[in-house]
Amino acid sequence: MSLIRIIVSAIYVVAQVLLARPSYVEGRQARNLEILAQTLGHHHGTLDESLLDNYDNNPELPQFAEEIQNVTVSVGRDALLACVVNNLRNYKVAWVRVDTQTILSIHHSVITQNPRISLTFNDHRSWYLHIKDAQEVDRGWYMCQVNTDPMRSRQGYIQVVVPPSIITKETSTDMVVREASNVTLTCKATGFPEPYVMWRREDGKNINYNGESVNVVDGEVLHIVKISRLHMGAYLCIASNGVPPSVSKRVLLRVQFPPMLSIPNQLEGAYIGQDVTLECHTEAYPNSINYWTTEHGDMIVSGNYHSVTGDKYEAVSTDNGYNKYMMLKIRNVGPKDFGSYKCVAQNSLGGTDGDIKLDEIPAPSTTSTMPPPYYQPTSTMKKNGRNGNKKSQLPPSDYDVEELRNPGPASMRPPGDLPADAQSPGVSHRAQLILLLSLSLLSLLLPAIRR
């Protein structure tokens, strides 16, 4: 043990000489102090514990006011470690990189050749180690030493974190595949800590993955077996590790398949003069060429036939991804328009078609459904029309009938004396009035005739 103390004391003396003569060559100084740090670090654990107790309890020696706080910094930012020593007096403070045993600074002097490292101090108590534009190589333990006997130190850790980034050359790009084939999408990312990678659809829809419908697939690889058109779309590879920002890459997946179509109504009906619309739905990728033909094979183009009211046909097509909606409007249907119409879709992988039959149906009845009026005029009255006597077109009131019934004594004749046709309930009011008037005139003329 005495031999160890002699060696430590000798090295301590060398250190004091080096600290007192800064004119030494910096390279030689750094090497000597590095040997000092290695030696002290090597024998630190073998010193007598009683010496450490005496040091801690000795108010005359320097004391660390607090532990060195660990620091986490993003790559490219500045890092700062603080070492606070009370009662430093004539002792010196040094900063050492632990893993490489490199002396960075001694008291007021920066030893390292790294231009990103600097030193500041305050009131001979606070000693700050600055690392500008921190890089991943700066990650590790740093020691603040005081050249007491034995040497005392505190350590702090600098954690340099790196936000995720996607390795483009190792990540899948946009793909075009045939339906029912197997597809593998790969995404590679770097960062510290190691990034977490996941896949999801850009539109937010679930992914049919291994027979299950999931919203997110974990991992760098997305493997789809027997891909279908339902898998078509944009996929996002997202990498995150808790260090902002997260990053993503978009991969567009296209699935090729020949056209398929469906017809909502294969039989349509229309009457002469009506406008009718035929509908057809198709699916295809690459996008198909869609058109309509007549039963004779003639292609229908909007505006190829003109009628009095305008174009005969109006063909409209609306795209929604690999879906396409087709509509054929036929205006003012005539006898020649009845028959079959064909919806056709073709792309580089094939073609398909479907028939829609247009049949004639009876036109709706135009007969009025209004109830008949209380009094129906005769054909004679309809002929008079505008120039006829308007009053004669209305049924007589009770007052008029009574007035005709009282011209003379004959009007007192009981109803039973009237001719049978006058008593018939089927005789019209007009006939009854004429009959009563005739009887009244006859009753006036009879006395004159008798004379």
Side-chain angles (χ1 to χ4, degrees), residues 11-12 14-16 18-19 25-41 92-119 129-131 141-147 151 153:
I11 296 173
Y12 173 74
V14 173
Q16 292 293 333
L18 293 176
L19 290 173
V25 179
E26 184 176 301
R28 181 182 300 174
Q29 187 182 41
R31 286 194 299 273
N32 292 336
L33 290 178
E34 183 175 353
I35 295 173
L36 168 65
Q38 291 175 347
T39 304
L40 292 177
K92 310 298 181 183
V93 174
W95 281 101
V96 178
R97 177 74 183 262
V98 175
D99 54 352
T100 61
Q101 290 293 299
T102 302
I103 297 178
L104 305 177
S105 68
I106 297 177
H107 215 52
H108 298 165
S109 302
V110 176
I111 305 302
T112 180
Q113 296 295 321
N114 189 341
R116 297 185 294 107
I117 293 180
S118 60
L119 179 72
L129 181 67
H130 299 264
I131 301 179
W141 288 98
Y142 292 80
M143 179 185 293
C144 175
Q145 298 179 349
V146 179
N147 62 338
M151 179 270 295
S153 66

Short mmCIF file of all heavy atoms in Angstrom, two decimals, residues 11-12 14-16 18-19 25-41 92-119 129-131 141-147 151 153:
data_model
loop_
_atom_site.label_atom_id
_atom_site.label_comp_id
_atom_site.label_asym_id
_atom_site.label_seq_id
_atom_site.Cartn_x
_atom_site.Cartn_y
_atom_site.Cartn_z
N ILE A 11 3.03 10.99 -9.37
CA ILE A 11 2.22 11.43 -10.52
C ILE A 11 1.55 12.75 -10.23
O ILE A 11 1.42 13.62 -11.10
CB ILE A 11 1.19 10.35 -10.87
CG1 ILE A 11 1.89 9.07 -11.33
CG2 ILE A 11 0.24 10.82 -11.96
CD1 ILE A 11 0.96 7.90 -11.55
N TYR A 12 1.13 12.93 -8.99
CA TYR A 12 0.49 14.18 -8.60
C TYR A 12 1.46 15.35 -8.77
O TYR A 12 1.11 16.42 -9.25
CB TYR A 12 0.00 14.09 -7.16
CG TYR A 12 -0.53 15.38 -6.62
CD1 TYR A 12 -1.76 15.88 -7.02
CD2 TYR A 12 0.22 16.11 -5.69
CE1 TYR A 12 -2.23 17.07 -6.52
CE2 TYR A 12 -0.25 17.31 -5.18
CZ TYR A 12 -1.48 17.79 -5.60
OH TYR A 12 -1.96 18.97 -5.12
N VAL A 14 3.93 15.52 -10.86
CA VAL A 14 4.08 15.77 -12.30
C VAL A 14 2.91 16.59 -12.81
O VAL A 14 3.06 17.52 -13.60
CB VAL A 14 4.19 14.43 -13.06
CG1 VAL A 14 4.16 14.66 -14.56
CG2 VAL A 14 5.46 13.70 -12.66
N ALA A 15 1.73 16.27 -12.34
CA ALA A 15 0.55 17.01 -12.78
C ALA A 15 0.62 18.46 -12.35
O ALA A 15 0.27 19.37 -13.10
CB ALA A 15 -0.72 16.36 -12.22
N GLN A 16 1.08 18.70 -11.13
CA GLN A 16 1.18 20.07 -10.65
C GLN A 16 2.17 20.86 -11.51
O GLN A 16 1.95 22.04 -11.84
CB GLN A 16 1.63 20.09 -9.19
CG GLN A 16 0.59 19.54 -8.23
CD GLN A 16 -0.63 20.42 -8.17
OE1 GLN A 16 -0.55 21.63 -8.39
NE2 GLN A 16 -1.78 19.82 -7.88
N LEU A 18 2.94 20.32 -14.65
CA LEU A 18 2.32 20.56 -15.96
C LEU A 18 1.27 21.67 -15.89
O LEU A 18 1.13 22.48 -16.80
CB LEU A 18 1.69 19.27 -16.49
CG LEU A 18 2.70 18.16 -16.85
CD1 LEU A 18 1.94 16.90 -17.28
CD2 LEU A 18 3.63 18.61 -17.97
N LEU A 19 0.50 21.68 -14.80
CA LEU A 19 -0.52 22.72 -14.65
C LEU A 19 0.13 24.07 -14.47
O LEU A 19 -0.41 25.11 -14.88
CB LEU A 19 -1.42 22.40 -13.45
CG LEU A 19 -2.36 21.20 -13.63
CD1 LEU A 19 -3.07 20.89 -12.32
CD2 LEU A 19 -3.37 21.48 -14.73
N VAL A 25 4.54 21.82 -24.68
CA VAL A 25 3.87 21.44 -25.93
C VAL A 25 2.55 20.76 -25.58
O VAL A 25 2.51 19.87 -24.72
CB VAL A 25 4.77 20.50 -26.75
CG1 VAL A 25 4.06 20.08 -28.03
CG2 VAL A 25 6.10 21.19 -27.06
N GLU A 26 1.50 21.20 -26.25
CA GLU A 26 0.17 20.71 -25.90
C GLU A 26 0.04 19.20 -26.07
O GLU A 26 -0.59 18.51 -25.28
CB GLU A 26 -0.88 21.43 -26.76
CG GLU A 26 -2.32 21.05 -26.39
CD GLU A 26 -3.32 21.85 -27.20
OE1 GLU A 26 -3.27 23.08 -27.10
OE2 GLU A 26 -4.11 21.24 -27.90
N GLY A 27 0.68 18.65 -27.10
CA GLY A 27 0.57 17.22 -27.33
C GLY A 27 1.19 16.43 -26.18
O GLY A 27 0.64 15.46 -25.69
N ARG A 28 2.38 16.86 -25.72
CA ARG A 28 3.03 16.17 -24.62
C ARG A 28 2.22 16.32 -23.35
O ARG A 28 2.07 15.38 -22.56
CB ARG A 28 4.44 16.74 -24.42
CG ARG A 28 5.22 16.05 -23.29
CD ARG A 28 6.57 16.69 -23.11
NE ARG A 28 7.36 16.59 -24.35
CZ ARG A 28 8.54 17.17 -24.50
NH1 ARG A 28 9.06 17.88 -23.52
NH2 ARG A 28 9.20 17.03 -25.64
N GLN A 29 1.63 17.49 -23.14
CA GLN A 29 0.80 17.73 -21.94
C GLN A 29 -0.42 16.83 -21.93
O GLN A 29 -0.77 16.23 -20.91
CB GLN A 29 0.38 19.20 -21.90
CG GLN A 29 -0.34 19.59 -20.63
CD GLN A 29 -0.77 21.04 -20.70
OE1 GLN A 29 -1.22 21.48 -21.75
NE2 GLN A 29 -0.61 21.76 -19.62
N ALA A 30 -1.04 16.70 -23.06
CA ALA A 30 -2.22 15.86 -23.15
C ALA A 30 -1.88 14.42 -22.86
O ALA A 30 -2.62 13.71 -22.16
CB ALA A 30 -2.87 16.01 -24.53
N ARG A 31 -0.75 13.95 -23.39
CA ARG A 31 -0.36 12.55 -23.17
C ARG A 31 -0.06 12.30 -21.70
O ARG A 31 -0.47 11.29 -21.14
CB ARG A 31 0.85 12.21 -24.04
CG ARG A 31 0.50 12.06 -25.53
CD ARG A 31 1.66 11.38 -26.27
NE ARG A 31 2.89 12.17 -26.21
CZ ARG A 31 3.21 13.13 -27.06
NH1 ARG A 31 2.37 13.41 -28.05
NH2 ARG A 31 4.35 13.81 -26.94
N ASN A 32 0.68 13.24 -21.09
CA ASN A 32 1.00 13.06 -19.68
C ASN A 32 -0.24 13.05 -18.80
O ASN A 32 -0.38 12.24 -17.88
CB ASN A 32 1.97 14.15 -19.20
CG ASN A 32 3.35 14.01 -19.86
OD1 ASN A 32 3.71 12.93 -20.29
ND2 ASN A 32 4.10 15.12 -19.90
N LEU A 33 -1.16 14.00 -19.07
CA LEU A 33 -2.37 14.06 -18.26
C LEU A 33 -3.28 12.88 -18.52
O LEU A 33 -4.04 12.45 -17.65
CB LEU A 33 -3.11 15.38 -18.54
CG LEU A 33 -2.40 16.62 -18.00
CD1 LEU A 33 -3.17 17.88 -18.38
CD2 LEU A 33 -2.22 16.53 -16.50
N GLU A 34 -3.21 12.34 -19.72
CA GLU A 34 -4.00 11.15 -20.01
C GLU A 34 -3.51 9.98 -19.16
O GLU A 34 -4.28 9.19 -18.62
CB GLU A 34 -3.92 10.81 -21.49
CG GLU A 34 -4.78 9.61 -21.88
CD GLU A 34 -4.77 9.37 -23.37
OE1 GLU A 34 -4.22 10.22 -24.10
OE2 GLU A 34 -5.31 8.35 -23.81
N ILE A 35 -2.14 9.89 -19.04
CA ILE A 35 -1.57 8.85 -18.18
C ILE A 35 -2.02 9.07 -16.74
O ILE A 35 -2.35 8.13 -16.02
CB ILE A 35 -0.03 8.86 -18.28
CG1 ILE A 35 0.39 8.47 -19.71
CG2 ILE A 35 0.59 7.92 -17.25
CD1 ILE A 35 1.89 8.62 -19.95
N LEU A 36 -2.06 10.34 -16.35
CA LEU A 36 -2.52 10.67 -14.98
C LEU A 36 -3.94 10.17 -14.76
O LEU A 36 -4.24 9.53 -13.76
CB LEU A 36 -2.43 12.18 -14.77
CG LEU A 36 -3.13 12.73 -13.52
CD1 LEU A 36 -2.45 12.19 -12.27
CD2 LEU A 36 -3.11 14.25 -13.54
N ALA A 37 -4.83 10.46 -15.71
CA ALA A 37 -6.23 10.07 -15.56
C ALA A 37 -6.38 8.56 -15.52
O ALA A 37 -7.15 8.01 -14.74
CB ALA A 37 -7.06 10.66 -16.70
N GLN A 38 -5.60 7.85 -16.39
CA GLN A 38 -5.69 6.41 -16.41
C GLN A 38 -5.22 5.81 -15.09
O GLN A 38 -5.83 4.90 -14.53
CB GLN A 38 -4.85 5.86 -17.57
CG GLN A 38 -5.42 6.19 -18.94
CD GLN A 38 -4.50 5.73 -20.06
OE1 GLN A 38 -3.35 5.39 -19.79
NE2 GLN A 38 -5.02 5.75 -21.29
N THR A 39 -4.11 6.36 -14.59
CA THR A 39 -3.54 5.82 -13.35
C THR A 39 -4.47 6.05 -12.17
O THR A 39 -4.77 5.15 -11.39
CB THR A 39 -2.17 6.46 -13.07
OG1 THR A 39 -1.33 6.24 -14.20
CG2 THR A 39 -1.53 5.84 -11.84
N LEU A 40 -4.97 7.25 -12.06
CA LEU A 40 -5.87 7.56 -10.96
C LEU A 40 -7.14 6.75 -11.06
O LEU A 40 -7.67 6.26 -10.06
CB LEU A 40 -6.18 9.05 -10.93
CG LEU A 40 -5.01 9.98 -10.57
CD1 LEU A 40 -5.45 11.43 -10.66
CD2 LEU A 40 -4.46 9.65 -9.20
N GLY A 41 -7.62 6.61 -12.27
CA GLY A 41 -8.84 5.83 -12.45
C GLY A 41 -8.61 4.37 -12.13
O GLY A 41 -9.47 3.69 -11.60
N LYS A 92 -7.17 22.20 -8.84
CA LYS A 92 -7.51 22.36 -10.25
C LYS A 92 -8.65 21.40 -10.63
O LYS A 92 -8.80 20.32 -10.04
CB LYS A 92 -6.30 22.07 -11.14
CG LYS A 92 -5.04 22.82 -10.74
CD LYS A 92 -5.22 24.32 -10.83
CE LYS A 92 -3.92 25.04 -10.43
NZ LYS A 92 -4.07 26.51 -10.44
N VAL A 93 -9.42 21.83 -11.64
CA VAL A 93 -10.55 21.02 -12.17
C VAL A 93 -10.22 20.62 -13.59
O VAL A 93 -9.76 21.44 -14.39
CB VAL A 93 -11.87 21.82 -12.13
CG1 VAL A 93 -12.99 21.02 -12.80
CG2 VAL A 93 -12.24 22.15 -10.70
N ALA A 94 -10.48 19.37 -13.90
CA ALA A 94 -10.26 18.87 -15.26
C ALA A 94 -11.50 18.10 -15.73
O ALA A 94 -12.21 17.48 -14.93
CB ALA A 94 -9.03 17.97 -15.30
N TRP A 95 -11.75 18.17 -17.07
CA TRP A 95 -12.81 17.38 -17.71
C TRP A 95 -12.15 16.29 -18.54
O TRP A 95 -11.21 16.53 -19.29
CB TRP A 95 -13.66 18.25 -18.63
CG TRP A 95 -14.69 19.08 -17.92
CD1 TRP A 95 -14.60 20.39 -17.62
CD2 TRP A 95 -15.96 18.64 -17.45
NE1 TRP A 95 -15.73 20.84 -16.98
CE2 TRP A 95 -16.60 19.76 -16.86
CE3 TRP A 95 -16.63 17.43 -17.43
CZ2 TRP A 95 -17.87 19.70 -16.29
CZ3 TRP A 95 -17.90 17.35 -16.87
CH2 TRP A 95 -18.50 18.47 -16.30
N VAL A 96 -12.67 15.05 -18.38
CA VAL A 96 -12.10 13.89 -19.05
C VAL A 96 -13.22 13.10 -19.73
O VAL A 96 -14.30 12.90 -19.14
CB VAL A 96 -11.34 12.98 -18.07
CG1 VAL A 96 -10.78 11.75 -18.78
CG2 VAL A 96 -10.23 13.76 -17.38
N ARG A 97 -12.98 12.66 -20.98
CA ARG A 97 -13.90 11.73 -21.66
C ARG A 97 -13.60 10.33 -21.15
O ARG A 97 -12.49 9.82 -21.31
CB ARG A 97 -13.71 11.82 -23.18
CG ARG A 97 -14.56 10.84 -23.98
CD ARG A 97 -16.01 11.27 -24.02
NE ARG A 97 -16.81 10.29 -24.72
CZ ARG A 97 -17.17 10.40 -26.00
NH1 ARG A 97 -16.75 11.44 -26.72
NH2 ARG A 97 -17.93 9.49 -26.56
N VAL A 98 -14.56 9.69 -20.50
CA VAL A 98 -14.31 8.45 -19.77
C VAL A 98 -14.00 7.30 -20.70
O VAL A 98 -13.02 6.56 -20.49
CB VAL A 98 -15.52 8.10 -18.88
CG1 VAL A 98 -15.32 6.75 -18.20
CG2 VAL A 98 -15.73 9.19 -17.83
N ASP A 99 -14.82 7.09 -21.74
CA ASP A 99 -14.65 5.89 -22.56
C ASP A 99 -13.33 5.88 -23.31
O ASP A 99 -12.72 4.82 -23.53
CB ASP A 99 -15.82 5.72 -23.54
CG ASP A 99 -16.03 6.96 -24.39
OD1 ASP A 99 -15.38 7.98 -24.13
OD2 ASP A 99 -16.86 6.90 -25.33
N THR A 100 -12.85 7.04 -23.72
CA THR A 100 -11.57 7.12 -24.44
C THR A 100 -10.43 7.59 -23.56
O THR A 100 -9.29 7.65 -24.03
CB THR A 100 -11.70 8.08 -25.64
OG1 THR A 100 -12.02 9.40 -25.16
CG2 THR A 100 -12.77 7.60 -26.61
N GLN A 101 -10.72 7.96 -22.29
CA GLN A 101 -9.71 8.46 -21.36
C GLN A 101 -8.96 9.67 -21.95
O GLN A 101 -7.75 9.82 -21.78
CB GLN A 101 -8.71 7.36 -20.99
CG GLN A 101 -9.30 6.28 -20.11
CD GLN A 101 -9.65 6.78 -18.73
OE1 GLN A 101 -8.80 7.25 -17.97
NE2 GLN A 101 -10.93 6.71 -18.40
N THR A 102 -9.71 10.51 -22.65
CA THR A 102 -9.13 11.71 -23.26
C THR A 102 -9.37 12.91 -22.36
O THR A 102 -10.52 13.16 -21.93
CB THR A 102 -9.79 11.96 -24.64
OG1 THR A 102 -9.58 10.81 -25.45
CG2 THR A 102 -9.17 13.18 -25.32
N ILE A 103 -8.28 13.65 -22.04
CA ILE A 103 -8.42 14.87 -21.24
C ILE A 103 -8.90 15.99 -22.16
O ILE A 103 -8.27 16.30 -23.17
CB ILE A 103 -7.09 15.24 -20.58
CG1 ILE A 103 -6.67 14.13 -19.61
CG2 ILE A 103 -7.21 16.57 -19.85
CD1 ILE A 103 -5.35 14.38 -18.95
N LEU A 104 -10.02 16.59 -21.77
CA LEU A 104 -10.61 17.65 -22.58
C LEU A 104 -10.16 19.03 -22.12
O LEU A 104 -9.93 19.92 -22.95
CB LEU A 104 -12.14 17.54 -22.54
CG LEU A 104 -12.73 16.17 -22.95
CD1 LEU A 104 -14.25 16.17 -22.79
CD2 LEU A 104 -12.34 15.84 -24.38
N SER A 105 -10.07 19.23 -20.81
CA SER A 105 -9.67 20.55 -20.29
C SER A 105 -9.01 20.37 -18.94
O SER A 105 -9.29 19.40 -18.21
CB SER A 105 -10.88 21.48 -20.17
OG SER A 105 -11.73 21.03 -19.14
N ILE A 106 -8.10 21.32 -18.61
CA ILE A 106 -7.49 21.38 -17.28
C ILE A 106 -7.61 22.81 -16.80
O ILE A 106 -7.05 23.74 -17.39
CB ILE A 106 -6.02 20.95 -17.32
CG1 ILE A 106 -5.91 19.48 -17.76
CG2 ILE A 106 -5.37 21.14 -15.95
CD1 ILE A 106 -4.48 19.00 -17.89
N HIS A 107 -8.40 22.94 -15.76
CA HIS A 107 -8.66 24.25 -15.17
C HIS A 107 -9.15 25.24 -16.23
O HIS A 107 -10.22 25.04 -16.81
CB HIS A 107 -7.43 24.74 -14.41
CG HIS A 107 -7.78 25.52 -13.19
ND1 HIS A 107 -8.65 25.05 -12.23
CD2 HIS A 107 -7.40 26.77 -12.76
CE1 HIS A 107 -8.79 25.93 -11.27
NE2 HIS A 107 -8.03 27.01 -11.56
N HIS A 108 -8.37 26.26 -16.55
CA HIS A 108 -8.83 27.28 -17.50
C HIS A 108 -8.48 26.97 -18.95
O HIS A 108 -8.84 27.74 -19.84
CB HIS A 108 -8.23 28.64 -17.14
CG HIS A 108 -8.64 29.13 -15.79
ND1 HIS A 108 -8.00 30.17 -15.14
CD2 HIS A 108 -9.63 28.72 -14.95
CE1 HIS A 108 -8.59 30.38 -13.96
NE2 HIS A 108 -9.58 29.51 -13.83
N SER A 109 -7.81 25.86 -19.19
CA SER A 109 -7.30 25.57 -20.53
C SER A 109 -8.03 24.40 -21.17
O SER A 109 -8.30 23.38 -20.50
CB SER A 109 -5.79 25.26 -20.47
OG SER A 109 -5.08 26.33 -19.91
N VAL A 110 -8.34 24.52 -22.45
CA VAL A 110 -8.93 23.43 -23.24
C VAL A 110 -7.79 22.66 -23.88
O VAL A 110 -6.95 23.23 -24.59
CB VAL A 110 -9.90 23.96 -24.31
CG1 VAL A 110 -10.41 22.82 -25.17
CG2 VAL A 110 -11.04 24.71 -23.65
N ILE A 111 -7.73 21.36 -23.64
CA ILE A 111 -6.64 20.53 -24.12
C ILE A 111 -6.98 19.87 -25.46
O ILE A 111 -6.14 19.76 -26.34
CB ILE A 111 -6.28 19.45 -23.08
CG1 ILE A 111 -5.97 20.12 -21.74
CG2 ILE A 111 -5.11 18.60 -23.54
CD1 ILE A 111 -4.84 21.12 -21.80
N THR A 112 -8.20 19.41 -25.60
CA THR A 112 -8.59 18.66 -26.80
C THR A 112 -8.48 19.51 -28.07
O THR A 112 -8.59 20.74 -28.02
CB THR A 112 -10.03 18.13 -26.67
OG1 THR A 112 -10.39 17.40 -27.85
CG2 THR A 112 -11.01 19.27 -26.48
N GLN A 113 -8.24 18.82 -29.18
CA GLN A 113 -8.16 19.48 -30.47
C GLN A 113 -9.54 19.58 -31.15
O GLN A 113 -9.64 20.12 -32.25
CB GLN A 113 -7.22 18.69 -31.39
CG GLN A 113 -5.79 18.64 -30.91
CD GLN A 113 -5.14 20.02 -30.91
OE1 GLN A 113 -5.36 20.82 -31.81
NE2 GLN A 113 -4.37 20.31 -29.87
N ASN A 114 -10.57 19.09 -30.48
CA ASN A 114 -11.93 19.14 -31.04
C ASN A 114 -12.44 20.58 -30.98
O ASN A 114 -12.65 21.12 -29.89
CB ASN A 114 -12.86 18.21 -30.26
CG ASN A 114 -14.22 18.05 -30.92
OD1 ASN A 114 -14.62 18.86 -31.75
ND2 ASN A 114 -14.93 17.00 -30.55
N PRO A 115 -12.66 21.22 -32.13
CA PRO A 115 -13.07 22.63 -32.11
C PRO A 115 -14.49 22.85 -31.59
O PRO A 115 -14.86 23.98 -31.29
CB PRO A 115 -12.94 23.05 -33.57
CG PRO A 115 -13.15 21.79 -34.35
CD PRO A 115 -12.54 20.70 -33.52
N ARG A 116 -15.24 21.78 -31.47
CA ARG A 116 -16.62 21.93 -31.00
C ARG A 116 -16.72 21.96 -29.48
O ARG A 116 -17.79 22.20 -28.93
CB ARG A 116 -17.49 20.79 -31.54
CG ARG A 116 -17.61 20.78 -33.06
CD ARG A 116 -18.58 19.70 -33.58
NE ARG A 116 -18.09 18.36 -33.32
CZ ARG A 116 -18.57 17.55 -32.41
NH1 ARG A 116 -19.57 17.96 -31.61
NH2 ARG A 116 -18.08 16.33 -32.24
N ILE A 117 -15.62 21.70 -28.80
CA ILE A 117 -15.63 21.66 -27.33
C ILE A 117 -15.00 22.94 -26.78
O ILE A 117 -13.94 23.38 -27.23
CB ILE A 117 -14.85 20.43 -26.82
CG1 ILE A 117 -15.61 19.15 -27.21
CG2 ILE A 117 -14.67 20.49 -25.30
CD1 ILE A 117 -14.93 17.88 -26.76
N SER A 118 -15.68 23.53 -25.79
CA SER A 118 -15.19 24.75 -25.15
C SER A 118 -15.48 24.68 -23.66
O SER A 118 -16.22 23.79 -23.19
CB SER A 118 -15.84 26.00 -25.76
OG SER A 118 -17.25 25.96 -25.60
N LEU A 119 -14.90 25.62 -22.91
CA LEU A 119 -15.01 25.61 -21.46
C LEU A 119 -15.35 27.01 -20.96
O LEU A 119 -14.81 28.00 -21.44
CB LEU A 119 -13.68 25.16 -20.84
CG LEU A 119 -13.59 25.12 -19.31
CD1 LEU A 119 -14.42 23.96 -18.78
CD2 LEU A 119 -12.13 25.01 -18.87
N LEU A 129 -18.73 22.46 -19.32
CA LEU A 129 -18.18 21.88 -20.54
C LEU A 129 -19.22 22.02 -21.65
O LEU A 129 -20.35 21.50 -21.53
CB LEU A 129 -17.84 20.41 -20.32
CG LEU A 129 -17.22 19.69 -21.53
CD1 LEU A 129 -15.83 20.25 -21.83
CD2 LEU A 129 -17.16 18.17 -21.28
N HIS A 130 -18.87 22.72 -22.73
CA HIS A 130 -19.78 22.96 -23.85
C HIS A 130 -19.38 22.07 -25.04
O HIS A 130 -18.20 22.00 -25.38
CB HIS A 130 -19.71 24.42 -24.30
CG HIS A 130 -20.10 25.41 -23.25
ND1 HIS A 130 -21.36 25.93 -23.15
CD2 HIS A 130 -19.38 25.97 -22.23
CE1 HIS A 130 -21.42 26.77 -22.14
NE2 HIS A 130 -20.22 26.80 -21.54
N ILE A 131 -20.39 21.44 -25.63
CA ILE A 131 -20.19 20.68 -26.87
C ILE A 131 -21.15 21.26 -27.90
O ILE A 131 -22.37 21.12 -27.78
CB ILE A 131 -20.43 19.18 -26.68
CG1 ILE A 131 -19.50 18.63 -25.61
CG2 ILE A 131 -20.24 18.44 -28.00
CD1 ILE A 131 -19.69 17.15 -25.34
N TRP A 141 -19.99 8.98 -21.35
CA TRP A 141 -19.77 9.50 -20.00
C TRP A 141 -18.64 10.53 -20.01
O TRP A 141 -17.62 10.36 -20.70
CB TRP A 141 -19.40 8.37 -19.04
CG TRP A 141 -20.56 7.47 -18.70
CD1 TRP A 141 -20.85 6.27 -19.27
CD2 TRP A 141 -21.55 7.72 -17.72
NE1 TRP A 141 -21.98 5.74 -18.71
CE2 TRP A 141 -22.44 6.60 -17.75
CE3 TRP A 141 -21.80 8.76 -16.83
CZ2 TRP A 141 -23.54 6.51 -16.91
CZ3 TRP A 141 -22.90 8.66 -15.99
CH2 TRP A 141 -23.77 7.56 -16.03
N TYR A 142 -18.83 11.58 -19.18
CA TYR A 142 -17.83 12.64 -19.03
C TYR A 142 -17.57 12.81 -17.53
O TYR A 142 -18.51 12.80 -16.72
CB TYR A 142 -18.30 13.95 -19.66
CG TYR A 142 -18.39 13.88 -21.16
CD1 TYR A 142 -19.49 13.27 -21.77
CD2 TYR A 142 -17.39 14.40 -21.97
CE1 TYR A 142 -19.57 13.19 -23.17
CE2 TYR A 142 -17.47 14.33 -23.36
CZ TYR A 142 -18.56 13.72 -23.95
OH TYR A 142 -18.65 13.64 -25.32
N MET A 143 -16.28 13.00 -17.18
CA MET A 143 -15.87 13.07 -15.77
C MET A 143 -15.30 14.45 -15.45
O MET A 143 -14.47 14.98 -16.20
CB MET A 143 -14.82 12.00 -15.46
CG MET A 143 -14.32 12.01 -14.02
SD MET A 143 -12.97 10.82 -13.76
CE MET A 143 -13.85 9.29 -14.00
N CYS A 144 -15.74 14.97 -14.32
CA CYS A 144 -15.17 16.19 -13.76
C CYS A 144 -14.28 15.78 -12.59
O CYS A 144 -14.75 15.20 -11.61
CB CYS A 144 -16.29 17.13 -13.30
SG CYS A 144 -15.71 18.62 -12.47
N GLN A 145 -12.94 16.08 -12.69
CA GLN A 145 -11.97 15.66 -11.68
C GLN A 145 -11.41 16.87 -10.92
O GLN A 145 -11.23 17.94 -11.49
CB GLN A 145 -10.80 14.91 -12.34
CG GLN A 145 -11.18 13.64 -13.05
CD GLN A 145 -9.97 12.98 -13.69
OE1 GLN A 145 -8.88 13.58 -13.77
NE2 GLN A 145 -10.13 11.75 -14.14
N VAL A 146 -11.09 16.64 -9.65
CA VAL A 146 -10.37 17.62 -8.83
C VAL A 146 -9.09 16.95 -8.35
O VAL A 146 -9.11 15.82 -7.83
CB VAL A 146 -11.22 18.09 -7.63
CG1 VAL A 146 -10.43 19.08 -6.78
CG2 VAL A 146 -12.51 18.72 -8.11
N ASN A 147 -7.95 17.62 -8.53
CA ASN A 147 -6.65 17.00 -8.27
C ASN A 147 -6.27 16.98 -6.79
O ASN A 147 -5.20 17.42 -6.38
CB ASN A 147 -5.55 17.67 -9.09
CG ASN A 147 -5.39 19.13 -8.71
OD1 ASN A 147 -6.30 19.75 -8.17
ND2 ASN A 147 -4.21 19.70 -8.99
N MET A 151 -7.62 11.66 -5.76
CA MET A 151 -8.42 12.42 -6.73
C MET A 151 -9.91 12.12 -6.52
O MET A 151 -10.31 11.00 -6.28
CB MET A 151 -7.99 12.02 -8.15
CG MET A 151 -8.78 12.72 -9.25
SD MET A 151 -10.24 11.80 -9.76
CE MET A 151 -9.51 10.35 -10.46
N SER A 153 -13.96 12.81 -8.14
CA SER A 153 -14.61 13.07 -9.45
C SER A 153 -16.11 12.83 -9.38
O SER A 153 -16.63 12.19 -8.46
CB SER A 153 -14.00 12.17 -10.53
OG SER A 153 -14.31 10.81 -10.27
#
